């Protein structure tokens, strides 16, 4: 089977690699892909917003299955358009992708489904925000409604900071229309886990849990980013697993079915584990980036078949490699996340691939014969091992192979997982 991957970042490079390693897949295509992916797949430099052209490229190349990586294409209806054109598509409908594209839609959904989530108010002005803040305590959480490239969430330590955030959203309009409405939310203290499930909108199959590291600097300090590194699997005890199933996943899919939302893909449930139990921070209608990079290599099976099943409306049962863990360390550009600086020349042997340590390219481009920084998150150093400790060590050995001016990297990815029982099955 020939498969087309939509997207261009590290997550999509991980998808291309996983599909290349699938016996069911004879050829991988990618659109628009990147210079690095062009070495492993047939690259189509085209705009995914031209849905008709994407369908034509798929048909002309005998592609049977399309796997959509990022959030924007599903939010804008690419999956619907390709399904109408008769293709098998791994990716939710535009209607279902609202679970990610609108935080207000997602909160209303959670409320009507009875899914645990932080108490919230919908607000649409600085005055409304400050008035609603009276019934919350610091720190205050303010979230722009729409897609804001992972930057739409403010955690404010006092009312003054909250006022500044509300001004940025409603008056300076830094997110444009994505900030027409926002959520003021109760802060949930706890630890975060990334819970991803394959689903047909009715039943689901969990993937191994992952731990992301969202802050820029060691010790969870600095600004929020798209994610600076991940480790999987993240083991939790059976009692918590059961609560997540019963309190979060079951009511989510019951409600999805009631609302007739067509979902064929992966649902990413961002969970905060609080003292009271699991609480949903957000839904994403796609694989996490960099969660995909650590979850995909752990399957004991064939991703091509798994994605095809889901695209056809069936939820496969999955098996995972025993005694295996994966880690991803992000190497980011100078100035990331606020203003990543492009163009720096990357030194090092990026092609080095031992099978259990390698690079995925998130934001690079060829400049003549050498690689240059071309995005915020530049390279993903991946390590695979028998446990989290070994995987993390290999990821850092790989990371040491690439450098450039201003390279940013956390040095404590996976430290909490390695130090706690979260690295061993319960
Ligand atoms: P979101 O995009 O909604 O997942 O928010 C981005 C990040 O902000 C999350 O991964 C959390 O680290 C943090 N966050 C969001 N909402 C809350 C909350 N209610 N309480 C504590 N932290 C939060
Ligand atoms: N790593 C977080 C995300 O993909 O949203």
């Amino acid at each position: 089977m020939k498969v087309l991957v939509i997207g261009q970042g590290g997550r999509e490079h991980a998808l291309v690699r996983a599909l290349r390693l699938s016996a069911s897949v004879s050829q991988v295509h990618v659109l628009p892909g990147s210079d690095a992916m062009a070495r492993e797949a047939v690259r189509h430099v085209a705009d995914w917003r031209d849905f008709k052209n994407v369908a034509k490229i798929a048909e002309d190349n005998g592609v049977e299955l399309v796997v959509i990586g990022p959030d924007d294409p599903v939010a804008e209806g690419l999956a619907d358009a390709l399904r109408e054109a008769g293709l098998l598509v791994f990716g939710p409908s535009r209607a279902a992708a609202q679970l990610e594209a609108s935080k207000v839609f997602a909160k209303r959904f959670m409320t009507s489904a009875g899914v645990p989530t932080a108490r919230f108010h919908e607000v649409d002005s600085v005055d409304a925000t400050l008035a609603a803040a009276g019934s919350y305590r610091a720190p205050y959480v303010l979230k722009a409604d729409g897609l804001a490239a992972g930057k739409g969430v403010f955690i404010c330590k006092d009312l003054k900071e909250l006022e500044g955030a509300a001004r940025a959203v409603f008056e300076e309009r830094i997110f444009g229309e994505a900030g027409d409405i926002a959520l003021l939310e109760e802060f949930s203290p706890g630890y975060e886990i990334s819970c991803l499930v394959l689903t047909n909108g009715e039943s689901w199959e969990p993937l191994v849990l992952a731990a992301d590291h969202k802050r820029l600097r060691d010790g969870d300090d600095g600004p929020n980013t798209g994610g600076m590194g991940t480790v999987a699997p993240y083991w939790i005890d059976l009692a918590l697993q059961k609560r997540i199933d019963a309190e979060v996943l079951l009511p989510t899919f019951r409600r999805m079915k009631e609302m007739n939302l067509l979902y064929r893909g992966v649902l990413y449930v961002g969970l905060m584990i609080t003292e009271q139990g699991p609480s949903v921070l957000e839904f994403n209608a796609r694989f996490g980036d960099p969660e995909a990079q650590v979850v995909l290599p752990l399957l004991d099976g064939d991703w091509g078949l798994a994605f095809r099943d889901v695209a056809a409306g069936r939820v496969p049962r999955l098996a995972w490699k025993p005694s295996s863990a994966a880690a991803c360390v992000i190497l980011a550009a100078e100035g990331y996340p606020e203003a990543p600086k492009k163009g720096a020349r990357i030194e090092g042997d990026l092609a080095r691939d031992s099978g259990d340590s390698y690079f995925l390219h998130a934001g690079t481009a060829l400049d003549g014969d050498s690689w240059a920084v071309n995005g915020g998150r530049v390279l993903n150093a991946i390590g695979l091992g028998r446990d989290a400790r070994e995987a993390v060590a290999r990821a850092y050995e790989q990371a040491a192979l690439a450098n450039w001016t201003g390279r940013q990297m956390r040095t404590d990815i996976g430290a909490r997982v390695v130090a706690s029982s979260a690295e061993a099955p319960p």
Side-chain angles (χ1 to χ4, degrees):
M1 154 175 75
K2 296 182 181 177
V3 185
L4 170 64
V5 174
I6 305 292
Q8 59 190 4
R11 164 185 47 212
E12 288 76 27
H13 197 180
L15 285 165
V16 165
R17 185 178 174 104
L19 288 164
R20 270 203 306 123
L21 296 173
S22 297
S24 68
V25 177
S26 56
Q27 194 175 49
V28 184
H29 293 248
V30 64
L31 182 157
S34 63
D35 291 344
M37 285 185 240
R39 299 182 167 193
E40 297 171 30
V42 182
R43 182 183 185 193
H44 304 276
V45 181
D47 185 356
W48 59 258
R49 285 188 172 79
D50 185 349
F51 295 173
K52 281 214 172 76
N53 188 40
V54 177
K56 183 171 182 321
I57 288 172
E59 278 151 24
D60 289 351
N61 287 281
V63 164
E64 192 178 318
L65 169 69
V66 182
V67 177
I68 305 179
D71 47 6
D72 294 334
V74 284
E76 292 185 28
L78 178 60
D80 310 75
L82 297 179
R83 270 193 278 268
E84 269 165 40
L87 290 153
L88 277 174
V89 184
F90 182 87
S93 65
R94 181 191 171 126
Q98 290 298 301
L99 286 170
E100 170 168 14
S102 167
K103 287 187 184 285
V104 170
F105 178 94
K107 276 290 203 185
R108 291 180 186 162
F109 176 96
M110 288 181 230
T111 308
S112 65
V115 168
T117 187
R119 190 168 67 87
F120 69 102
H121 268 74
E122 295 176 22
V123 290
D124 61 4
S125 69
V126 177
D127 287 348
T129 305
L130 294 176
S135 67
Y136 294 83
R137 275 178 306 162
Y140 303 96
V141 181
L142 187 72
K143 299 183 175 178
D145 174 52
L147 292 175
K151 293 179 190 153
V153 177
F154 298 87
I155 313 274
C156 310
K157 68 174 183 307
D158 54 27
L159 282 171
K160 195 162 159 260
E161 260 190 42
L162 178 63
E163 184 175 345
R167 277 196 200 293
V169 173
F170 299 122
E171 290 176 3
E172 292 154 33
R173 311 223 7 114
I174 58 171
F175 306 122
E177 277 176 24
D180 283 348
I181 307 187
L183 299 172
L184 178 68
E185 217 177 271
E186 192 146 70
F187 182 81
S188 311
Y191 64 93
E192 278 182 73
I193 47 179
S194 304
C195 168
L196 282 70
V197 301
L198 297 185
T199 181
N200 59 1
E202 209 178 311
S203 55
W204 72 90
E205 175 71 7
L207 309 186
V208 287
L209 294 170
D212 193 5
H213 299 66
K214 293 223 163 112
R215 301 293 202 96
L216 181 66
R217 286 188 279 276
D218 284 8
D220 293 329
D221 191 22
N224 252 320
T225 70
M228 291 299 290
T230 38
V231 194
Y234 188 96
W235 298 104
I236 55 174
D237 62 47
L238 203 59
L240 178 56
Q241 260 175 56
K242 286 193 168 150
R243 285 193 67 179
I244 294 171
D245 280 353
E247 295 170 30
V248 176
L249 297 172
L250 194 70
T252 294
F253 291 110
R254 191 188 291 143
R255 184 74 188 128
M256 212 182 270
K257 192 173 172 214
E258 273 168 19
M259 288 177 69
N260 234 341
L261 293 173
L262 180 77
Y263 206 117
R264 290 181 178 181
V266 56
L267 179 73
Y268 169 145
V269 185
L271 290 172
M272 186 67 88
I273 307 303
T274 70
E275 276 181 8
Q276 286 74 45
S279 173
V280 176
L281 288 170
E282 62 165 346
F283 289 125
N284 293 315
R286 52 167 175 86
F287 274 105
D289 184 348
E291 281 86 347
Q293 288 87 320
V294 291
V295 166
L296 293 171
L298 299 180
L299 183 76
D300 193 0
D302 182 309
W303 278 112
L305 295 178
F307 292 151
R308 189 172 65 185
D309 272 352
V310 174
R314 297 184 297 268
V315 178
R317 295 279 86 93
L318 302 177
W320 300 92
K321 291 177 187 158
S323 305
S324 291
C328 169
V329 172
I330 300 290
L331 307 181
E334 181 175 5
Y336 178 76
E338 288 91 1
K341 216 170 130 186
K342 294 187 185 178
R345 186 196 164 103
I346 304 173
E347 309 290 344
D349 178 11
L350 304 197
R352 186 92 71 87
D353 183 340
S354 70
D356 51 25
S357 60
Y358 51 89
F359 287 114
L360 297 170
H361 290 241
T364 66
L366 272 177
D367 179 10
D369 287 338
S370 55
W371 292 102
V373 169
N374 191 42
R377 291 187 290 180
V378 180
L379 286 172
N380 306 157
I382 309 297
L384 309 179
R386 283 162 298 185
D387 55 22
R389 187 183 308 274
E390 192 171 68
V392 168
R394 288 190 176 144
Y396 276 110
E397 278 165 28
Q398 186 75 15
L401 299 174
N403 204 4
W404 59 87
T405 310
R407 187 194 78 157
Q408 302 191 76
M409 173 182 92
R410 278 182 64 155
T411 64
D412 64 348
I413 298 303
R416 192 167 52 89
V417 177
V418 170
S420 75
S421 57
E423 77 160 310

